[in-house]
Amino acid sequence: MVLFFLLASNPAYFRLGLLISAGFYAPILLYRISASLLNRPVPSSVLGTIVLEAVLLVAALWLYHPFLGRE
């Protein structure tokens, strides 16, 4: 995973880095939400992690938005 992000740190691969980031955070976020709902109650640290990953996913998608429609 580190190799993907090191490659994507190059400005020419910024768009790729955002897609990789969203591709990693979306399934992790879905897993954490579903696991938290099944294993109630969960510690506040788990809820904080869910919020952090949701913010990172939204940030990646928000930063990717200007690239939509461009090839």
Side-chain angles (χ1 to χ4, degrees), residues 38-64:
L38 292 173
N39 298 314
R40 281 286 200 203
V42 294
S44 59
S45 61
V46 173
L47 296 176
T49 303
I50 291 172
V51 169
L52 175 66
E53 288 171 344
V55 167
L56 291 171
L57 177 62
V58 168
L61 294 174
W62 180 69
L63 288 170
Y64 184 76

Side-chain angles (χ1 to χ4, degrees), residues 15-39:
R15 181 179 173 187
L16 175 65
L18 292 173
L19 288 175
I20 290 171
S21 183
F24 279 127
Y25 283 121
I28 290 172
L29 184 62
L30 290 174
Y31 170 76
R32 284 201 198 276
I33 290 172
S34 62
S36 297
L37 291 175
L38 292 173
N39 298 314

